[in-house]
Amino acid sequence: MGMTMTQKILAAHSGLDKVSAGQLIEADLDIVLGNDITAPVAINEFEKANLNNIYSKEKIVLVMDHFTPNKDIKAAEQCRRVREFAEKHQIVNFFDVGEMGIEHALLPEKGLVKAGDCIIGADSHTCTYGALGAFSTGVGSTDMAAGMASGKVWLKVPKAVKINLEGKFNANVSGKDLILHIIGKIGVDGALYKSMEFSGEGAANLSADDRLCVANMVIEAGAKNGIFPVDDKTIEYMKQAGAVDYKVFEADPDAEYDGEITVDLSALKPTVAFPHLPENTHPVDEITENIKIHQSVIGSCTNGRYEDMAAAANVMKGKKVAKGVRCIIIPATQKIYLECIKSGFAEIFIEAGAIISTPTCGPCLGGHTGILAAGERAVATTNRNFVGRMGHTTSEVYLASPYVAAKAAIKGYLGRDII
Amino acid sequence: MKVKGTVHKYGDNIDTDVIIPARYLNTTDPEELKLHCMEDIDAGFVNKVKPGDIMTGGKNFGCGSSREHAPIAIKSAGIACIIAESFARIFYRNAINIGLPIIESAPAVKAIKDGDIVEIDFDKGRIKVGDKVYNAPAFPQFIQDIISAGGLLKKTGAKNGL
């Protein structure tokens, strides 16, 4: 029996010719990532264990993105803790305000993650980099601390679910609609402990930004990682980003899969996940009653990339945000922010009555820059809609694509007639 | 090792946002985190939990964010063990890495009621609920080694000659 793409990368990083599902391995790490929430805990553990040396000055990446620009004194103290650690250990890839972006948009853009890599990050959405053909998974702070010291992580080789993608999206349907559709189909634990291996002509038809969005949310189905085959689009993306020394792995034709799903991209429609689980999905045109919204958030590690900004600008051009709706747009990196200005998107957003924030995770996790009051509703291009995720426990988050979130901002509600 | 305590029972898909809401993630102090443990799903939890109590959950316990603050908050609140039908994978790793015992047993979870007194024998992998005993699968050797070393970092440190 052959190996999946994930299994091949894991074998190559653990010095083995072959690995199989369920096997425990110790893998070499190309990147160890942390942010201003998780790195302070990792640094505490690192120092408590008297681990004085990091394994590489280049391979540890620290991004101050969650509660930045510092939302309060405690957040400022946490960033200082990470900043001082980075200075002490001469960590090259430390990104502070001015250089930072939302980590999972920033690392691919900077060429720090690439095909064939084995990556861990103390952030659950670290699975994003599978879009470029890497093995990449989220861990906690203690795993991050151990990774910083040893350059290794223990892993159980995952089983795989194969996701065959066919066809092409219709207009105004995007990667977000695809991943919400899949989560709606298999549930929030539908791929628990497994890798989601995307393939087929439909996967090749997805843009790099759409693949990053899809891989980003595989964790919402419980998956360990998601991965896309490497093709010309991947190689072009990595070239633009300056990523070098990438390695292309392909699944064996006789690789074993624990289940297969086929999705016809041309049959997908704009889709929304209702509170309070990402699996509560409904096509927009099947929403029976209009749902009044108070806020629309367009950004995050899921949907804060250039194509997302373009989709929102396309909807909002010459329109006004509905009275009573706060529309918060967050380009995910400084580069995307600048592109929004140069492309005229920034003017469209401001003319429409939206605000544009500096890159931050902010409202996605209920941190800052758009917290909801009791009973308020938001449509958001973020990735989770758990109880209290964006604010008060009685507030609600509806997950959607930038196209749908922009439409809802203009109309003031989510309903079948907004698209 | 054995523990015996009162059960605090929760349902499926208990996510890390309800275990410890992100608004409290501007601290890493376990003593502060424990004051807000389970706040968004059970505001009374911190007042009723006693050291040595047991928590149960349904499917996919600990889903969502990778925040280690979640098992830290539960452990520092005094919970001696979590029994669930299944755990989300990052939470599973984090709990082991910080030394918070967790056990998967769907039959035990189904039989246990909120407020029951449950006894767990980790060496034998047994969960005792009233007169009934449920067997839980043992950890793989690799994970047992992490636990017996006193956590992942002690194991890493020993390996690196520290």
Side-chain angles (χ1 to χ4, degrees):
Chain A
M1 198 54 83
M3 289 188 281
T4 64
M5 197 173 161
T6 294
Q7 290 164 357
K8 279 197 171 169
I9 296 174
L10 293 179
H13 282 80
S14 49
L16 300 167
D17 293 332
K18 185 166 168 46
V19 296
S20 42
Q23 188 176 344
L24 284 156
I25 57 162
E26 197 166 47
D28 291 325
L29 292 166
D30 295 301
I31 290 289
V32 177
L33 167 70
N35 59 48
D36 54 313
I37 302 286
T38 58
V41 178
I43 293 166
N44 288 350
E45 294 304 312
F46 186 92
E47 292 182 349
K48 245 175 22 196
N50 295 315
L51 298 168
N52 299 314
N53 299 310
I54 57 168
Y55 89 109
S56 163
K57 291 179 173 57
E58 290 79 27
K59 293 180 176 182
I60 294 167
V61 184
L62 300 169
V63 186
M64 305 298 92
D65 60 356
H66 276 61
F67 289 169
T68 54
N70 303 332
K71 77 175 179 107
D72 54 28
I73 295 168
K74 285 178 166 179
E77 299 289 351
Q78 294 205 132
C79 285
R80 184 170 65 186
R81 176 94 168 113
V82 183
R83 194 176 299 120
E84 287 174 356
F85 182 83
E87 278 168 16
K88 181 180 170 191
H89 293 279
Q90 298 172 294
I91 290 171
V92 179
N93 291 306
F94 169 73
F95 297 99
D96 211 334
V97 171
E99 291 179 308
M100 56 69 76
I102 299 176
E103 51 196 330
H104 308 309
L106 188 71
L107 271 63
E109 181 187 287
K110 295 267 182 201
L112 292 169
V113 289
K114 57 192 189 299
D117 278 358
C118 179
I119 300 159
I120 61 165
D123 187 278
S124 60
H125 293 108
T126 303
C127 49
T128 307
Y129 318 131
L132 302 177
F135 170 81
S136 190
T137 193
V139 295
S141 295
T142 299
D143 276 319
M144 179 193 168
M148 288 199 298
S150 65
K152 291 176 191 297
V153 66
W154 69 267
L155 294 166
K156 194 165 162 182
V157 176
K159 290 181 184 174
V161 184
K162 190 175 188 180
I163 321 271
N164 298 307
L165 302 178
E166 294 174 349
K168 264 187 193 166
F169 288 137
N170 287 316
N172 304 321
V173 178
S174 67
K176 184 60 162 287
D177 302 297
L178 167 61
I179 190 65
L180 287 178
H181 171 81
I182 293 170
I183 297 164
K185 203 165 161 164
I186 67 175
V188 291
D189 62 350
L192 194 60
Y193 303 125
K194 297 175 188 169
S195 66
M196 287 169 75
E197 312 250 340
F198 296 89
S199 68
E201 159 224 353
N205 287 335
L206 295 183
S207 69
D209 280 4
D210 272 334
R211 294 178 200 182
L212 289 160
C213 168
V214 170
N216 173 272
M217 279 189 73
V218 299
I219 176 71
E220 290 359 300
K224 184 171 209 147
N225 67 309
I227 198 160
F228 277 85
V230 177
D231 61 11
D232 291 349
K233 284 182 188 165
T234 326
I235 290 168
E236 179 57 27
Y237 183 97
M238 291 191 293
K239 198 173 138 191
Q240 294 286 331
V244 288
D245 296 333
Y246 60 84
K247 200 163 174 206
V248 179
F249 290 85
E250 284 175 16
D252 288 325
D254 60 343
E256 191 178 5
Y257 296 97
D258 188 36
E260 280 195 36
I261 299 165
T262 297
V263 180
D264 176 4
L265 302 185
S266 69
L268 294 179
K269 296 188 278 190
T271 299
V272 176
F274 282 28
H276 288 286
L277 281 177
E279 70 183 26
N280 296 336
T281 55
H282 300 267
V284 173
D285 66 3
E286 290 175 21
I287 296 174
T288 49
E289 276 180 47
N290 290 347
I291 301 157
K292 186 184 161 31
I293 60 157
H294 305 90
Q295 182 163 295
S296 174
V297 175
I298 301 171
S300 82
C301 60
T302 313
N303 279 130
R305 297 183 183 81
Y306 181 79
E307 283 182 11
D308 303 315
M309 297 294 120
N314 193 36
V315 169
M316 295 174 84
K317 190 168 187 178
K319 304 272 186 7
K320 292 280 181 200
V321 171
K323 189 96 181 140
V325 176
R326 291 114 41 191
C327 183
I328 299 165
I329 299 179
I330 312 175
T333 66
Q334 291 285 83
K335 182 165 179 258
I336 299 165
Y337 199 121
L338 193 57
E339 284 167 346
C340 282
I341 293 170
K342 287 183 178 166
S343 309
F345 302 163
E347 196 174 334
I348 292 170
F349 297 147
I350 291 170
E351 289 286 348
I355 68 144
I356 311 168
S357 161
T358 183
T360 183
C361 305
C364 172
L365 74 162
H368 59 105
T369 313
I371 305 302
L372 300 173
E376 285 192 330
R377 284 192 206 102
V379 58
T381 67
T382 56
N383 40 56
R384 292 191 176 125
N385 55 355
F386 301 148
V387 170
R389 175 76 179 176
M390 200 176 274
H392 195 274
T393 52
T394 61
S395 64
E396 294 181 343
V397 176
Y398 292 75
L399 303 175
S401 69
Y403 169 78
V404 170
K407 283 278 186 182
I410 302 293
K411 291 282 190 179
Y413 60 86
L414 265 174
R416 63 202 306 173
D417 67 343
I418 68 166
I419 54 169
Chain B
M1 192 176 79
K2 278 185 190 175
V3 296
K4 188 176 177 180
T6 307
V7 167
H8 303 265
K9 181 165 178 156
Y10 299 99
D12 290 341
N13 301 312
I14 296 300
D15 62 77
T16 54
D17 277 278
V18 297
I19 296 171
I20 182 75
R23 58 186 176 275
Y24 303 118
L25 298 185
N26 55 6
T27 180
T28 60
D29 180 4
E31 291 305 305
E32 212 174 322
L33 291 170
K34 77 176 188 189
L35 302 175
H36 306 289
C37 186
M38 310 305 282
E39 185 172 300
D40 282 2
I41 193 171
D42 181 6
F45 172 76
V46 290
N47 295 321
K48 64 190 178 195
V49 67
K50 300 181 300 299
D53 279 359
I54 288 158
M55 188 178 279
T56 69
K59 289 189 296 176
N60 205 24
F61 188 97
C63 61
S65 150
S66 69
R67 63 189 70 157
E68 207 159 288
H69 312 66
I72 290 172
I74 292 174
K75 190 183 176 192
S76 57
I79 291 292
C81 178
I82 308 173
I83 313 169
E85 290 183 41
S86 63
F87 290 92
R89 58 163 288 277
I90 304 177
F91 186 92
Y92 181 94
R93 293 181 74 95
N94 287 348
I96 289 165
N97 285 344
I98 68 155
L100 170 65
I102 55 172
I103 293 188
E104 282 188 358
S105 172
V109 165
K110 287 195 164 76
I112 293 168
K113 295 187 296 295
D114 191 52
D116 277 356
I117 307 284
V118 168
E119 195 177 331
I120 301 155
D121 182 332
F122 293 104
D123 300 328
K124 292 181 180 156
R126 282 186 191 161
I127 304 164
K128 199 171 164 217
V129 187
D131 301 335
K132 292 209 166 158
V133 174
Y134 299 87
N135 291 310
F139 284 125
Q141 188 61 44
F142 192 86
I143 292 174
Q144 283 184 35
D145 290 347
I146 294 174
I147 295 166
S148 60
L152 180 67
L153 287 181
K154 293 208 173 124
K155 191 166 179 276
T156 306
K159 226 175 150 175
N160 290 3
L162 293 168

